[in-house]
């Protein structure tokens, strides 16, 4: 199973390091975890921070397109990358990353 954790970002250079540091590196039953950010027209150094911290996939919207469009763009890219599971989180640490395994486990167990 391949999991892509998607993080839409708009000017998140200050919080992105914390978000990325708390994402699980391994989840039982998942062979590969990749990180993907969708930069939604940021004017700060969000992309540079993501590159420095080893984000696998970086998508840059040409301007601010909004959260819904960023999710859709990221979903389409995750499908091209053959993701089995896609988890959406947020670049401002609104959703604690420690719960990612709780979202994935029902899928792995065939309950979702």
């Amino acid at each position: 199973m391949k999991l892509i954790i998607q993080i839409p970002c708009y000017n998140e250079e200050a919080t992105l390091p914390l978000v990325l540091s708390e994402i699980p590196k391994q989840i039982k039953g998942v062979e590969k975890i990749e990180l993907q950010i969708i930069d939604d027209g940021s004017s700060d150094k969000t992309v540079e921070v993501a590159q420095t911290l080893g984000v696998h996939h970086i998508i840059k919207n040409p301007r601010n397109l909004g959260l819904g469009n960023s999710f859709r763009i990221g979903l389409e890219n995750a499908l091209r990358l053959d993701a089995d599971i896609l988890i959406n989180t947020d670049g401002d640490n609104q959703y604690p990353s420690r719960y990612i395994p709780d979202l994935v486990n029902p899928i792995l167990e065939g309950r979702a």
Side-chain angles (χ1 to χ4, degrees):
M1 285 276 187
K2 179 177 179 177
L3 165 65
I4 293 184
I5 300 171
Q6 171 168 286
I7 309 165
C9 295
Y10 181 71
N11 293 330
E12 305 294 355
E13 73 175 294
T15 55
L16 190 57
L18 174 63
V19 170
L20 294 175
S21 73
E22 294 185 351
I23 290 177
K25 308 296 184 251
Q26 295 179 329
I27 298 173
K28 184 178 178 181
V30 175
E31 288 83 36
K32 187 180 247 186
I33 298 174
E34 296 180 0
L35 305 174
Q36 170 172 284
I37 70 159
I38 300 91
D39 177 56
D40 195 23
S42 296
S43 59
D44 68 355
K45 295 182 180 183
T46 295
V47 169
E48 291 88 345
V49 169
Q51 290 169 330
T52 300
L53 295 174
V55 170
H56 303 94
H57 311 286
I58 298 172
I59 300 167
K60 292 173 66 173
N61 292 345
R63 59 182 167 72
N64 185 269
L65 300 176
L67 184 59
N69 283 317
S70 292
F71 277 150
R72 180 185 49 78
I73 291 165
L75 170 63
E76 291 168 355
N77 193 61
L79 290 172
R80 280 192 294 275
L81 295 169
D82 295 323
D84 297 299
I85 304 169
L86 176 66
I87 295 288
N88 289 303
T89 190
D90 200 273
D92 65 4
N93 209 32
Q94 180 178 2
Y95 308 111
S97 296
R98 69 179 175 270
Y99 295 118
I100 290 174
D102 295 335
L103 295 171
V104 172
N105 284 333
I107 297 167
L108 297 175
E109 295 167 356
R111 296 184 292 117

